[in-house]
């Protein structure tokens, strides 16, 4: 099996030195960058938009993983495609016509992800699972970094892994929210292959050391 991918969430980085943060994280071994887009409507917080994605694209060769926590994602996917997103993930709770939106993303050559809030059941994916490239399981209620992992999500990750394996297709299983050195093993044992880390990564003070610690724990 390939090594689990570490996706630092730039939500927790120091925006005053964004370029340095991205480059240091990349050198430390970040596999991709998780970009949290919030609109103050779907979630109770406002963050960043396509202009940021376009700027970050210029300073890293790592994939940009855009997590859209916004109402009406269909109205904005083209902006993120044009900004250089490599993965665009939309919330199933926020989009009425998921097949159409997933098609638009894939037609542009971008990976299409779908995500579920912690309380949204996996069965809501039944008809779309064969069309997606990535499934993101939220392990906190989205909106803020630094929240605690909801422990009942272990089973959801395990069930999601089974669901993906049953398709026989390659679908990345990403997990987001409250992931730390102390719980990364249980999340990966449950079947995750991309782990998002915000506070754990960017507040660690030494990104290289943090990546080495995570890799060692997962060996
Ligand atoms: C939460 C965001 C997460 C967040 C993770 O709404 O989707 O990506 O940045 O941060 P931590 O790792 O601190 O929970
Ligand atoms: Zn996120």
């Amino acid at each position: 099996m390939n090594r689990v991918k570490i996706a630092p969430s730039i939500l927790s980085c120091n925006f005053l030195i964004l370029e340095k943060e991205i480059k240091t994280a990349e050198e430390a071994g970040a596999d991709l960058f998780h970009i949290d887009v919030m609109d103050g409507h779907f979630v109770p917080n406002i963050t960043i938009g396509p202009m940021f994605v376009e700027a970050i694209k210029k300073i890293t060769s790592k994939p940009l993983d855009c997590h859209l926590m916004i109402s009406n994602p269909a109205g904005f996917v083209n902006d993120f495609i044009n900004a250089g997103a490599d993965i665009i993930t939309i919330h199933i709770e926020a989009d009425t016509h998921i097949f159409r939106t997933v098609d638009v993303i894939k037609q542009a050559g971008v990976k299409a992800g779908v995500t579920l809030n912690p309380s949204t059941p996996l069965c809501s994916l039944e008809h779309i699972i064969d069309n997606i490239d990535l499934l993101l399981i939220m392990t906190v209620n989205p909106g803020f970094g630094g929240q605690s992992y909801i422990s009942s999500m272990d089973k959801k990750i395990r069930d999601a892994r089974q669901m993906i394996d049953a398709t026989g297709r390659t679908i990345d299983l990403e997990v987001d929210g409250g992931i730390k050195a102390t719980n990364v093993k249980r999340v990966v044992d449950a079947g995750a292959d991309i782990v998002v880390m915000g506070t754990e990564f960017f507040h660690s003070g030494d990104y290289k050391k943090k990546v080495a610690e995570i890799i060692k724990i997962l060996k």
Side-chain angles (χ1 to χ4, degrees), residues 121-138:
L122 281 174
C123 62
S124 57
L125 292 169
E126 182 183 350
H127 304 290
I128 192 76
I129 187 94
D130 281 311
N131 294 61
I132 64 177
D133 301 306
L134 179 146
L135 168 56
L136 173 61
I137 298 290
M138 289 310 301

Side-chain angles (χ1 to χ4, degrees), residues 87-100:
I87 304 165
I88 299 177
T89 297
I90 55 173
H91 271 263
I92 203 157
E93 304 88 358
D95 193 14
T96 321
H97 307 293
I98 293 260
F99 274 97
R100 185 184 293 147

